[in-house]
Amino acid sequence: QVQLVESGGGLVQPGGSLRLSCRASGFPFSNYGMTWYRQAPGKERELVASITSSGDSTNYAESVKGRFTISRDNAENTVYLQMNSLKPEDTAVYYCKRPRTHWFPWDYWGQGTQVTVSS
């Protein structure tokens, strides 16, 4: 029932920008905080950004702070990740996740979207 579908990835030059989207369905989207993770080749998956259910608070990994912006549109059941000033180190598969809660202790992941930053 729960479904998260990422889109917007692609190939971009260093210094360029991309906007990722994660369309959610199958649950009351506005009741959940959401997160973006990424996984680079040969590396562990890492938390990139998070946003509260209402969108009133956000947090970022230090490596992306000032460059990435997470936002959401609850009317569209969508969370976004605007990525500016991209670096080759940002190359990864980016995943949208609905975090576990105390009453439903399971994470839900999207299928991921590839972001490649290269000249």
Side-chain angles (χ1 to χ4, degrees):
Q1 291 182 352
V2 173
Q3 189 172 11
L4 302 170
V5 180
E6 300 96 334
S7 62
L11 175 64
V12 65
Q13 294 181 345
S17 297
L18 285 173
R19 189 178 77 162
L20 306 183
S21 299
C22 173
R23 173 80 189 283
S25 61
F27 66 95
F29 179 74
S30 63
N31 290 350
Y32 287 85
M34 297 293 293
T35 61
W36 284 98
Y37 281 73
R38 67 185 181 187
Q39 188 165 25
K43 298 183 178 179
E44 296 293 319
R45 192 169 296 184
E46 64 174 339
L47 176 65
V48 176
S50 61
I51 188 167
T52 56
S53 59
S54 67
D56 62 349
S57 183
T58 58
N59 285 284
Y60 300 92
E62 190 65 29
S63 60
V64 307
K65 192 172 297 182
R67 300 188 298 120
F68 290 11
T69 303
I70 188 171
S71 62
R72 66 191 296 158
D73 186 342
N74 285 346
E76 296 288 335
N77 288 355
T78 302
V79 60
Y80 303 96
L81 186 67
Q82 178 67 46
M83 304 185 295
N84 299 327
S85 302
L86 283 162
K87 305 174 180 179
E89 309 93 89
D90 297 318
T91 295
V93 178
Y94 283 72
Y95 298 91
C96 176
K97 187 188 83 171
R98 191 194 85 176
R100 68 196 74 177
T101 69
H102 68 280
W103 55 271
F104 197 90
W106 295 95
D107 296 326
Y108 281 95
W109 297 87
Q111 84 291 342
T113 185
Q114 176 71 48
V115 172
T116 302
V117 184
S118 177
S119 60

